[in-house]
Amino acid sequence: MRSTANRSALLVTHTGRRHSTEHAASIASDLVRAGFEVRVVASEIGDLDLPPGVTPVFGPDAAEGVEIVFALGGDGTFLRAAELARPNKAPLLGINLGKVGFLAEAEISDIDQAVAEVVRGAYTVDERLTLDVRAELDGEVIAETWALNEVSVEKGQRANMLELRVDVDGRPLSRYGCDGVICATPTGSTAYAFSAGGPVVWPEVEALLLVPVAAHALFSKPLVTAPTSTFVITVDPYTSVATLCADGHRVFDLPPGAKVTVRRGAQPVRVVQLQPRPFTDRLVAKFDLPVLGWRGTKRR
């Protein structure tokens, strides 16, 4: 077992769900008893019944110096926790208290074991590819952000089709009349890109994905490119307004003529693995795939 001297953890949870807050309190108690300094985002601490000794933390440096960040909830909570973990290079452990929880490493039934393995230091850390994004209008930067799952450029008005031009690696690829375009990582291949018809990409694969959404075009297939590729998505000057959305919750307005550049992120997200298992097993479990066949077992 690792020494608990100077060990610390940050808890991020979905405070709107009672069972999430109850599990957060239980994990905090276990970690405090194990000698950890436990931190909780100050805006969440009032909704949690936490043991004495828990430290409220503020701002983007909440995870500075921590050994691990716990994300207790669904994929939305995981992505929110990633915003704190990434700039501080802190490993992130997801415990699924939601529905699918594709990004989570452990399920609700595994909480006690997961905490025990963290205390023992019995885990490894993988690095997940991210995206860096910049939006410009007439040469002026109007938005900068990043994403672990995906970045989408979508129509801002429901009734109007969006006209976009897509360039890859400095060369024009296609112009789409569409609902939008998704740029995704392998981690995000099972999220929005998957729903739009994109391929599932194993997280160990280094690649970028480009997935048109409801494109009115003969060629609108999803594309898998090199991890070094750069996408430039230009909102036609004569089309309607658009929206830039990163990981489903960082949203920016894009006026006609805006240009969005997407490339591999300079900084990955570090994700905890407790007991490494094949991605195939995760895919089968999360999507409840019928490994015995869609028609079930054969009758004898």
Side-chain angles (χ1 to χ4, degrees):
M1 179 184 296
R2 287 182 52 175
S3 168
T4 55
N6 301 318
R7 299 181 72 183
S8 58
L10 171 67
L11 300 187
V12 179
T13 191
H14 192 311
T15 56
R17 295 174 179 167
R18 181 177 177 182
H19 72 290
S20 296
T21 58
E22 290 173 347
H23 287 299
S26 175
I27 290 175
S29 296
D30 290 345
L31 291 173
V32 168
R33 281 196 298 269
F36 275 67
E37 176 207 357
V38 178
R39 305 179 191 176
V40 173
V41 177
S43 60
E44 299 178 359
I45 202 166
D47 298 314
L48 304 173
D49 184 15
L50 298 173
V54 174
T55 304
V57 286
F58 301 83
D61 294 327
E64 183 177 4
V66 301
E67 177 184 328
I68 193 166
V69 176
F70 285 83
L72 312 176
D75 286 342
T77 303
F78 188 96
L79 292 170
R80 186 162 55 87
E83 292 188 59
L84 299 173
R86 179 179 182 249
N88 295 287
K89 301 180 181 179
L92 178 58
L93 172 61
I95 297 179
N96 180 32
L97 306 182
K99 294 180 180 179
V100 178
F102 209 98
L103 298 172
E105 174 65 13
E107 298 297 322
I108 189 171
S109 58
D110 305 323
I111 286 181
D112 291 342
Q113 181 181 352
V115 174
E117 291 181 0
V118 168
V119 171
R120 291 199 307 270
Y123 61 87
T124 59
V125 178
D126 290 341
E127 291 190 345
R128 296 291 183 91
L129 184 152
T130 60
L131 301 173
D132 281 342
V133 189
R134 171 179 290 193
E136 298 174 279
L137 181 65
D138 298 328
E140 180 182 348
V141 176
I142 57 174
E144 283 189 286
T145 188
W146 71 280
L148 172 59
N149 267 357
E150 78 283 309
V151 173
S152 61
V153 177
E154 306 174 35
K155 63 181 184 180
Q157 297 177 347
R158 180 178 177 82
N160 296 331
M161 182 179 289
L162 187 62
E163 296 285 343
L164 300 174
R165 169 177 155 167
V166 177
D167 292 49
V168 179
D169 296 332
R171 302 300 301 163
L173 173 70
S174 187
R175 184 182 295 273
Y176 298 104
C178 58
D179 283 356
V181 170
I182 301 167
C183 304
T185 67
T187 300
S189 71
T190 52
Y192 189 8
F194 174 82
S195 298
V200 173
V201 180
W202 264 234
E204 296 85 1
V205 176
E206 293 200 336
L208 303 182
L209 283 70
L210 179 72
V211 184
V213 180
H216 193 260
L218 290 176
F219 181 78
S220 59
K221 297 296 184 182
L223 304 176
V224 180
T225 72
T228 54
S229 289
T230 298
F231 303 143
V232 177
I233 303 166
T234 303
V235 181
D236 193 287
Y238 305 103
T239 193
S240 59
V241 296
T243 297
L244 171 66
C245 184
D247 281 342
H249 65 282
R250 291 188 297 277
V251 181
F252 307 87
D253 292 331
L254 295 175
K259 182 180 295 186
V260 178
T261 302
V262 182
R263 54 172 51 92
R264 179 176 186 161
Q267 190 169 354
V269 168
R270 305 180 70 215
V271 177
V272 170
Q273 279 200 334
L274 297 175
Q275 296 178 345
R277 57 174 175 163
F279 182 69
T280 306
D281 292 351
R282 181 185 294 269
L283 203 62
V284 168
K286 295 296 185 179
F287 287 136
D288 195 20
L289 298 181
V291 295
L292 297 178
W294 293 99
R295 297 172 65 184
T297 56
K298 293 182 179 179
R299 294 180 179 177
R300 294 183 178 178

